[in-house]
Amino acid sequence: MEENKILEVKNVTKKYKNFTLDNVSFDVFSNDIVGFVGENGAGKSTTLKAISNLINLNAGEIKIFNKEYDDLTQVEREEISVVLDEICLPEKLSLIQVNNIFKNIFKNWDEKTYYFYLEKFNIQKDKKIKELSKGMKAKLNLAIAFSHNAKFLMLDEPMNGLDPVARDEVIDILLEFNQVEGRAIIISSHIISDLEKLCNKILLIHNGKIAINESKEILNNSFNVVENLTKEEFDQIDKNILIRYKIVGNSYSILIKRENNLPFKQKEATLEDAIVFMIRGKTL
């Protein structure tokens, strides 16, 4: 599987005054679309900055295409694309000027692809960046990413500002992009329904630590939820099957293993249920 590994994050630690990215490890393989989730401040952006070589680590190592970042060739670096939720270009530039700038930066820049996506996204090429809505800026970021032969996309909240129809369109484009062997995507988002449609793996970070690193299929078939338990009923729960619990008023809600003999009414946990319990729930 090593030849199919696009990204390896191993024991990565980054310490700040009030936050620590703590011993983070995970892999991304060819044709993976990894949904990267967690509450604000959990460490998503710090992790993506670490992968992008924008911050120095206190410990650990990161490899892309089985190489450390400093050992990547210029061509390999161009095969990595980072899409942030804010566009990092001067607002006064026109989209034609954006094309002219990037074709002098990227050896593999394809202006036909760039203008194809501008047209597909209904963005007029003679507009200036400052004239674009937040949603259009998000689409422009993606058009740029698709236009320099990227194989590995890191997308930080790319759906921000997009309406449901536009989000669905972007999901279809990302799924199509990832059908080519050797490509992969890691995408952070708060919109769990989008990740349900898009991702095959879920990575949850909580307080700087990885809490979930699992396939979406397993997560969707592993847990049940029981709601409105009394304290007495909760105390009867076999702690070996209890994953997380929440107290809502005077009642308890629990996330449990699907294979259990509990006599209480249960429902199959959704992906969002599992993520919310992992973030807000407690353990014994």
Side-chain angles (χ1 to χ4, degrees), residues 51-81:
I51 297 169
S52 306
N53 201 40
L54 296 177
I55 57 175
N56 295 319
L57 304 179
N58 294 104
E61 64 177 357
I62 296 172
K63 291 183 178 180
I64 304 177
F65 308 135
N66 292 309
K67 294 182 179 180
E68 293 186 2
Y69 195 90
D70 290 342
D71 295 329
L72 293 170
T73 66
Q74 184 61 36
V75 171
E76 288 169 331
R77 292 186 187 194
E78 289 191 13
E79 292 174 340
I80 304 166
S81 186

Side-chain angles (χ1 to χ4, degrees), residues 30-31 175-184:
S30 176
N31 301 113
L175 288 170
E176 182 179 353
F177 166 88
N178 216 53
Q179 289 177 359
V180 177
E181 184 66 28
R183 291 178 176 178

Side-chain angles (χ1 to χ4, degrees), residues 79-225:
E79 292 174 340
I80 304 166
S81 186
V82 182
V83 178
L84 305 175
D85 64 343
E86 295 291 340
I87 197 159
C88 300
L89 291 168
E91 293 274 297
K92 64 182 180 180
L93 291 178
S94 73
L95 304 194
I96 294 174
Q97 289 174 313
V98 170
N99 173 70
N100 293 335
I101 289 170
F102 280 114
K103 72 180 182 182
N104 289 311
I105 294 175
F106 293 113
K107 291 182 179 180
N108 290 323
W109 182 259
D110 188 337
E111 66 177 40
K112 288 184 179 179
T113 299
Y114 173 72
Y115 287 123
F116 167 81
Y117 278 107
L118 290 189
E119 183 176 352
K120 188 175 183 67
F121 290 145
N122 295 315
I123 304 175
Q124 297 175 13
K125 64 183 179 181
D126 58 347
K127 279 188 173 291
K128 294 184 177 181
I129 292 175
K130 66 182 180 181
E131 298 174 316
L132 302 181
S133 66
K134 186 173 179 63
M136 285 184 176
K137 289 177 181 178
K139 291 179 180 180
L140 174 60
N141 263 333
L142 290 170
I144 293 168
F146 293 144
S147 300
H148 59 86
N149 195 35
K151 292 182 179 179
F152 178 42
L153 300 184
M154 287 182 281
L155 311 178
D156 191 6
E157 299 289 346
M159 306 296 191
N160 274 0
L162 298 183
D163 60 57
V165 173
R167 295 205 320 267
D168 196 59
E169 181 183 16
V170 169
I171 287 170
D172 287 344
I173 290 170
L174 291 174
L175 288 170
E176 182 179 353
F177 166 88
N178 216 53
Q179 289 177 359
V180 177
E181 184 66 28
R183 291 178 176 178
I185 301 171
I186 181 168
I187 173 172
S188 74
S189 179
H190 289 96
I191 308 172
I192 305 303
S193 59
D194 288 347
L195 301 184
E196 285 266 23
K197 299 174 185 176
L198 186 61
C199 300
N200 67 308
K201 292 182 180 177
I202 298 296
L203 191 68
L204 168 64
I205 190 166
H206 180 54
N207 292 334
K209 297 181 180 181
I210 299 298
I212 294 177
N213 181 7
E214 194 56 87
S215 75
K216 182 181 68 178
E217 182 179 4
I218 289 176
L219 286 175
N220 278 334
N221 291 283
S222 295
F223 306 119
N224 282 356
V225 172

